Amino acid sequence: MVERDGIATPWGTRTPYGPGERWPVRVDSHLADGLTEADVDAWVPTAAVLHSNGDGMEIAVRDGRIVGVRGRAGDRVNHGRLDPKDLFGWQANHAEDRLTVPLVREGGRLVESTWDEAMSRIVKRSKELLDEQGASSIGFYTSGQLFAEEYYTLAAIAHGALGTNHVDGNTRLCTATAAAALKESFGCDGQPGSYEDVDHADVIALFGHNVAETQAVLWERILDRLAGPNPPALLCVDPRETPVARAATVHLAPIPGTNMALMNGLLHEILANGWVDRDYVDRHTIGFADLESMVGDYPPERAAELCGVPADRIRAAAALLGHAERLLCTVLQGFYQSHQATAAAVAVNNIVLVRGMLGRPGCGVLQMNGQPTAENTRECGADGDLTGFRNWANDAHVAELAKLWNVDVDQIPHYAPPTHLMQMMRYAENGTLRLLWVSATNPAVSLPELGRIRSILAQERLFLVVQDAFRTETAEFADVVLPAAIWGEKVGTFTNADRTVHLSEKAVDPPGEARADLDILLDYARRMDFRDRDGNPFPAWHDPRTAFEAWKKASAGRPCDYTGLTYEKLRRGGVQWPCDAEHPDGTPRLYENGRFFAQPDYCETYGRDLITGAPGEPSDYKAANPDGKAMIKAAEYLPPHETPSAEFPFALITGRTIYHFHTRTKTGRTPQLNAAAPDVWVEISATDAAREHLHDGDLAEVTTPRGTVRARVRVSGIRDGVLFLPFHYGYWDTGDKDGRAANELTMTDWDPVSKQPLFKTAAAAIHRVGEAPAVPASAPQARVTERMEART
């Protein structure tokens, strides 16, 4: 076991290995000052919740308090390693400002109350609205950090009991496009590949995926392959010079908003050079002719003019992809939060399909998640999807769920597509959505165009419920605040980005009167007196284990089949779904032998138009794809809606740092993590900095048509004409009201297919407002990049 400094060495030391070999074990740990393993009373199994990687770990408990963590050597995800947020983030559980009692609004301010009073107010308003306006006046906005048992309960209450289709998760902000792209290509959500493919791949291509900072342990796995014999080649697509870009064989830095032009250029070269597995394409796919026709219009020279990447670099990247024998592609926010998000992510799937790189070791695509339990939000139906990857447009699927829940089929709202978050905010803005229940997320910092979002949340006619562990910026607008237990204080399961399910056990009691999210939702259901068709309480379950058993029944026979899982099995480590009688030990890869979940009677969706987002008709889908093959889909490039101008000459993108998660409600309360990245900064290229008379550490003002943010300058290797701001920073720890959160600047716009907001296509200006301090501090990214290069 290695007690290490996760700040100074965020990616640890190298343990090299070669292709096809098992990744060596290295167990990382961190205990509170002065403690050793001998001082620990108990080690409680769990997995990481401050990123999407799903690192298996154990919580150290002493005298009823969390005092540290260590990695699990036998876990398939991390082989014992932990990232900086894993090592230190547990300290947030003991933050002095945890919510411990409910709060209610009296006389314009939040005051302490009782659970009975708080829940009574929510129930009273719910019943009033149901009587006055119906279920469509009520909406739920949840997280990517709850457990499967809690999401499934929320989906049952919202869809089956209340009958509202206004349900979404903050996964809409980070991985809605992952789900959409998988549905468009394979007919259903579900990650085709596995982290183990890193062990076998000879080319790893990362599209808009800064894995070094979003999934640090997975980056360690890649670094260990790079340090070993016969290392893989890396392709990085990112306008920033990230650690991944510095390690890449080929780095492409496109103009923000032009990913689709670049992808069409790459596919043009792959097809033109004959780097196509025609046997695989003919036997297992449809749509190749349309792709061939579309990308024929995007030779490297034209693609270069559109995306700003030199034609020879496009050819070099295409050759890397085209000559790979085992190609692994990954995708994340650089594509998901940019213009034509779903079309570009689907284009990555197209590369994998035309090359026949699916269903075998080292081959596949990982449309990554941004949160630890985002997959569960989608599986369980708490993000607008229908529970169990069922199809909203398939009446038989809706009827199947109604039978499972023992409710009338008309009670489940399938008269229209489910309402995505950005539309829910519009409904709240115009007054048709009157109760919004927000759990474990912070839209007052994380949503685009924050001035508008604050005005919506502040409306007197909107009854806002916030269920959280901390008094967030969003909680300040609430009518009722419910104190929630968090990781380590409750029991449940959650699934990472490569379908690995972990069990998280309860290590300590929550503070004060804080309750598990499952208990809060079930309390609401009982107070509302929800009943099934036979008059029995609904939902029928009453604790995590019975909720898990109910979820297993809902998943039976669906792609995300959990029926072979038990809490006892999961105590031994993570298992990949589907796990059923046919796959009792889980399933490393989907779509072996070219079998997909795309059959017309089984698929999760009938598809959408990649340009307009218009849903496909069931009859058209059945006619085009009667055998359920994978679908190659083409799309033209269209320019983004907001482009740089004389007044706003830069393209602004936002993103993450390795030391923080989302809006810092936990990591900002962790001393080591907060000290590593205490405040917002702006990245600018050396050429642009010189033109704007900016130097490292200067205080700059970044402006868009929507607002202004002040940040310290970091001169970096980012593409000329592009600015970068980390989006984590809000106002809870400064007392300021504006000028710090990156989303003061972003625009209200979303992808037509996935409905994911576009955080990476704003036009911006920058100018200097103050000098650098006498001893300017390097930006966090600069420090960790330098350390990585020194080792590799």
Side-chain angles (χ1 to χ4, degrees):
M1 191 170 76
V2 179
E3 174 84 21
R4 70 180 182 88
D5 182 350
I7 304 301
T9 57
W11 301 296
T13 55
R14 300 282 59 79
T15 52
Y17 70 116
E21 297 176 359
R22 179 174 171 79
W23 188 25
V25 168
R26 188 195 76 217
V27 177
D28 295 338
S29 71
H30 177 70
L31 294 174
D33 290 346
L35 296 183
T36 67
E37 283 197 72
D39 299 314
V40 176
D41 296 334
W43 293 95
V44 180
T46 184
V49 290
L50 294 175
H51 50 76
S52 67
N53 209 56
D55 303 336
M57 58 198 295
E58 294 175 312
I59 299 171
V61 179
R62 177 180 170 85
D63 297 332
R65 288 177 60 85
I66 298 175
V67 294
V69 291
R70 71 180 178 192
R72 296 185 73 174
D75 194 89
R76 63 165 305 277
V77 169
N78 57 318
H79 295 212
R81 292 162 183 79
L82 297 176
D83 98 328
K85 295 184 290 294
D86 300 339
L87 288 168
F88 304 116
W90 53 268
Q91 295 168 92
N93 284 58
H94 302 308
E96 293 182 356
D97 59 344
R98 281 287 301 272
L99 289 170
T100 58
V101 296
L103 307 175
V104 299
R105 189 163 296 278
E106 288 287 353
R109 63 190 187 90
L110 292 170
V111 298
E112 292 188 356
S113 185
T114 65
W115 273 101
D116 190 57
E117 172 63 20
M119 295 303 294
S120 294
R121 291 193 182 200
I122 299 171
V123 168
K124 179 176 182 290
R125 188 59 182 145
S126 298
K127 290 182 175 179
E128 289 173 349
L129 288 171
L130 289 172
D131 290 341
E132 295 168 4
Q133 296 179 238
S136 61
S137 61
I138 299 174
F140 295 87
Y141 179 43
T142 189
S143 177
Q145 298 176 64
L146 304 187
F147 293 155
E149 294 83 348
E150 294 163 337
Y151 292 130
Y152 182 53
T153 301
L154 173 58
I157 288 172
H159 295 314
L162 287 168
T164 180
N165 62 358
H166 302 333
V167 185
D168 207 351
N170 65 9
T171 48
R172 184 66 56 190
L173 312 183
C174 61
T175 54
T177 300
L182 293 169
K183 293 175 193 177
E184 293 302 319
S185 297
F186 308 116
C188 187
D189 199 348
Q191 201 70 262
S194 169
Y195 292 163
E196 292 171 357
D197 290 325
V198 171
D199 306 344
H200 303 275
D202 66 336
V203 174
I204 302 174
L206 302 102
F207 295 89
H209 182 201
N210 183 11
V211 63
E213 301 203 67
T214 58
Q215 293 165 283
V217 168
L218 184 59
W219 179 235
E220 291 191 46
R221 195 169 194 152
I222 295 171
L223 287 176
D224 287 349
R225 276 295 320 274
L226 293 177
N230 302 311
L234 293 191
L235 169 63
C236 172
V237 178
D238 196 315
R240 297 173 66 208
E241 192 179 55
T242 64
V244 180
R246 289 174 181 253
T249 311
V250 177
H251 173 213
L252 308 180
I255 299 167
T258 66
N259 290 333
M260 197 64 230
L262 173 63
M263 295 307 298
N264 279 343
L266 291 172
L267 281 160
H268 174 282
E269 284 298 285
I270 290 170
L271 271 59
N273 286 281
W275 298 322
V276 177
D277 186 335
R278 290 307 303 245
D279 180 63
Y280 187 93
V281 168
D282 292 343
R283 287 190 297 121
H284 300 305
T285 75
I286 62 171
F288 180 81
D290 291 339
L291 179 71
E292 193 170 34
S293 175
M294 176 64 72
V295 303
D297 293 335
Y298 292 86
E301 286 73 20
R302 182 182 180 220
E305 291 178 3
L306 295 170
C307 71
V309 174
D312 62 342
R313 302 290 288 172
I314 294 175
R315 289 191 176 91
L320 204 64
L321 298 168
H323 289 121
E325 296 181 3
R326 294 178 182 270
L327 171 64
L328 174 63
C329 296
T330 73
V331 194
L332 197 59
Q333 312 299 18
F335 273 39
Y336 298 165
Q337 294 178 343
S338 192
H339 181 59
Q340 292 189 279
T342 302
V346 165
V348 179
N349 295 341
N350 290 342
I351 290 175
V352 171
L353 287 169
V354 301
R355 298 261 21 251
M357 296 286 176
L358 272 180
R360 52 195 174 93
C363 303
V365 60
L366 291 166
Q367 296 279 355
M368 289 295 189
N369 297 339
Q371 295 191 75
T373 71
E375 192 67 39
N376 303 112
T377 320
R378 286 145 47 187
E379 296 163 6
C380 298
D383 70 334
D385 289 329
L386 190 61
T387 297
F389 294 160
R390 290 174 173 85
N391 190 336
W392 279 105
N394 187 326
D395 289 342
H397 286 198
V398 180
E400 181 180 69
L401 188 61
K403 181 179 180 182
L404 184 73
W405 286 345
N406 194 26
V407 299
D408 291 332
V409 72
D410 290 338
Q411 180 65 17
I412 300 175
H414 57 290
Y415 48 83
T419 313
H420 62 90
L421 168 67
M422 301 305 288
Q423 190 62 53
M424 285 169 59
M425 298 308 292
R426 281 191 170 177
Y427 289 156
E429 190 173 31
N430 67 26
T432 56
L433 193 153
R434 303 294 289 273
L435 189 157
L436 180 62
W437 192 324
V438 176
S439 53
T441 189
N442 191 15
V445 176
S446 60
L447 293 191
E449 197 174 347
L450 286 181
R452 172 176 174 261
I453 296 302
R454 285 191 293 265
S455 70
I456 294 171
L457 297 177
Q459 294 179 108
E460 287 191 17
R461 66 186 176 187
L462 178 66
F463 190 88
L464 180 63
V465 179
V466 171
Q467 182 174 312
D468 211 307
F470 299 97
R471 188 163 167 168
T472 63
E473 291 89 341
T474 304
E476 296 302 325
F477 295 97
D479 295 279
V480 176
V481 179
L482 304 176
I486 55 176
W487 168 93
E489 300 167 357
K490 57 183 183 178
V491 176
T493 55
F494 58 101
T495 307
N496 78 340
D498 83 335
R499 297 175 286 104
T500 300
V501 185
H502 284 102
L503 173 66
S504 184
E505 301 268 29
K506 180 179 179 180
V508 297
D509 290 329
E513 299 176 22
R515 295 181 181 178
D517 297 273
L518 178 64
D519 294 339
I520 295 171
L521 292 169
L522 290 175
D523 184 28
Y524 175 69
R526 300 299 177 253
R527 290 171 183 264
M528 290 292 292
D529 197 28
F530 294 137
R531 301 278 171 170
D532 65 15
R533 284 188 298 187
D534 297 328
N536 297 314
F538 180 79
W541 49 93
H542 60 272
D543 63 10
R545 188 178 288 271
T546 54
F548 184 67
E549 293 302 315
W551 161 237
K552 285 166 59 177
K553 291 179 182 178
S555 74
R558 298 303 300 164
C560 52
D561 197 322
Y562 278 57
T563 53
L565 293 175
T566 63
Y567 278 10
E568 287 69 32
K569 177 182 284 189
L570 291 172
R571 286 193 177 102
R572 297 193 291 270
V575 179
Q576 290 174 283
W577 65 248
C579 180
D580 52 18
E582 185 180 353
H583 310 93
D585 298 319
T587 307
R589 294 169 193 86
L590 302 182
Y591 311 138
E592 293 182 357
N593 303 316
R595 295 191 299 269
F596 300 94
F597 300 136
Q599 295 83 1
D601 293 334
Y602 189 79
C603 64
E604 188 182 0
T605 178
Y606 297 124
R608 289 181 177 271
D609 186 287
L610 293 183
I611 299 298
T612 67
E617 292 295 327
S619 57
D620 294 338
Y621 183 94
K622 292 174 183 177
N625 196 17
D627 299 321
K629 295 183 177 183
M631 292 159 284
I632 295 172
K633 289 194 167 186
E636 64 179 317
Y637 163 72
L638 297 173
H641 299 150
E642 184 170 290
T643 56
S645 63
E647 184 180 2
F648 299 103
F650 292 90
L652 173 68
I653 60 175
T654 66
R656 303 186 181 200
T657 171
I658 190 172
Y659 299 116
H660 285 303
F661 184 63
H662 282 202
T663 61
R664 298 170 56 253
T665 52
K666 295 176 183 174
T667 56
R669 291 172 167 88
T670 301
Q672 296 90 336
L673 299 175
N674 194 54
D679 212 341
V680 65
W681 73 93
V682 58
E683 291 184 23
I684 187 171
S685 75
T687 301
D688 291 334
R691 186 174 59 250
E692 300 293 333
H693 307 292
L694 292 167
H695 305 90
D696 261 323
D698 281 351
L699 183 63
E701 198 165 75
V702 183
T703 305
T704 73
R706 289 154 297 278
T708 298
V709 166
R710 289 192 170 196
R712 292 288 174 183
V713 169
R714 178 200 164 196
V715 180
S716 75
I718 196 169
R719 180 190 172 93
D720 289 345
V722 181
L723 304 176
F724 168 83
L725 284 169
F727 81 95
H728 309 286
Y729 299 90
Y731 307 107
W732 63 265
D733 57 336
T734 65
D736 297 334
K737 298 299 182 184
D738 55 27
R740 192 188 193 206
N743 282 319
E744 303 286 356
L745 310 180
T746 49
M747 61 193 300
T748 300
D749 193 11
W750 57 82
D751 181 69
V753 181
S754 68
K755 318 303 182 187
Q756 183 160 347
L758 306 182
F759 294 101
K760 300 183 187 292
T761 55
I766 186 171
H767 68 273
R768 181 170 172 268
V769 294
E771 295 183 354
V775 183
S778 299
Q781 179 57 58
R783 295 199 302 271
V784 296
T785 298
E786 290 162 4
R787 284 194 293 271
M788 188 202 76
E789 290 186 322
R791 288 199 306 277
T792 59

